Amino acid sequence: MTTNTVVTLNKLVPSGAPTLENFKVAAAPVPTKDALKDGEILVRTLYLSCDPYMRGRLSGRTDSYVASFEAGKPIDGLGVGVVEASSHADYKEGDIVTGGAFKWETRFIASAKGFTKIPSTNGMSPASFLGVLGMPSFTAYVGTITLCKPKQGETILVSAASGAVGQMVVQLAKARGLRVIGAAGSDDKVQYVKDLGADVAFNYKTVKSLGSAIKDAAPNGIDIYFDNVGGEFLDVALKNMRPNGRIAECGMISQYNATAEEAYHIQNLAYVVMKKLTIYGFIVSEYYTTPAYGEFIKEVSQMLKENKIKYKMDEVVGIENGPQALLDLFEGKNFGKRVVKVSDPAHRL
């Protein structure tokens, strides 16, 4: 790799759908170890994560839990990379690191404070730390287990059930003896959700009525709804909840590109009162310092060791294809956890 490719934001997108014109992919000077300051590391990017929360960072809004991207500067997010040079005593050449401050560059220099070393983990790909052992799976764990506290025999409904978060919700719920209903946006995704163990799965794009599909799948109602999409799906789910039901409000991707005129307006909010529902809004980053994170790593690592987990990655090759890989996410064109492969690791963990 003789050039350094950088993805920057051309223009913020307050509403509506972003396009490739909002990004710029260009060559830049390759950073070298001579430019390192005390406490910094030079990282070669291996994988970059494409996540729904990044749509908010394209908007320029100032009232969110995470800062917006800045026009003219590289975008950044979760990633995995290899240290090529270090001026920090705790990091050495060859260390594999992960963190939430990965610039969308093939190589970059940053303070080591924003990164964590990945331990050797039985030959798993570094990309696993963006998926099955990463933020999406922990999000599934917090919403399903920590907050909604499922009980054996309950019924859970999962939207976007084949996605980065949803596929783990399905499996964590089945492991606790729940009846699982999953919705996805294509027939092959529906089959995958069934293969994960869901008791019922349906294609929300082809059913005659979303309300009827949910009612037929859960005639006695829903105890837990794990929401990844918001909009009409959330509205219909509210009507089908059982008394004292719980909703894990993870995301509302169906609304992220909606203009004021296109936004869906919830009509069934009164059921929150009538059915005594609890809605949990949560930001997963706030749970990494709680006991939940250690519990998650212990449980999922054991399930992996026992081959009790499936986890589908959706890999796009080449940082130059990163913007399109991200945009596709908002149209549901990913199948599983979407990542961008930037370079090959020198070794497998």
Side-chain angles (χ1 to χ4, degrees), residues 163-187:
V165 176
Q167 61 182 310
M168 280 300 293
V169 176
V170 170
Q171 295 175 90
L172 290 169
K174 285 303 297 182
R176 283 164 172 76
L178 274 71
R179 184 169 184 272
V180 178
I181 302 166
S186 68
D187 291 343

Side-chain angles (χ1 to χ4, degrees), residues 14-36:
S15 66
T19 68
L20 287 177
E21 293 181 355
N22 295 112
F23 301 90
K24 180 181 179 181
V25 179
V30 178
T32 65
K33 63 180 181 180
D34 297 333
L36 287 173

Side-chain angles (χ1 to χ4, degrees), residues 45-92:
T45 305
L46 300 177
Y47 292 92
L48 294 167
S49 180
C50 295
D51 296 296
Y53 83 92
M54 297 172 77
R55 176 60 187 90
R57 301 191 68 190
L58 293 169
S59 68
R61 63 186 304 164
T62 59
D63 59 349
S64 181
Y65 64 94
V66 61
S68 289
F69 298 130
E70 294 184 47
K73 293 187 178 181
I75 64 174
D76 62 84
L78 294 163
V80 176
V82 58
V83 174
E84 292 196 327
S86 172
S87 64
H88 193 289
D90 294 337
Y91 295 84
K92 65 181 185 304

Side-chain angles (χ1 to χ4, degrees), residues 15 18 22 24 40 62 76 107 122 207 240 243 269 290 316 332 340:
S15 66
N22 295 112
K24 180 181 179 181
E40 291 185 330
T62 59
D76 62 84
R107 286 182 173 86
N122 299 323
V207 294
N240 284 274
L269 202 59
T290 71
V316 173
V340 177

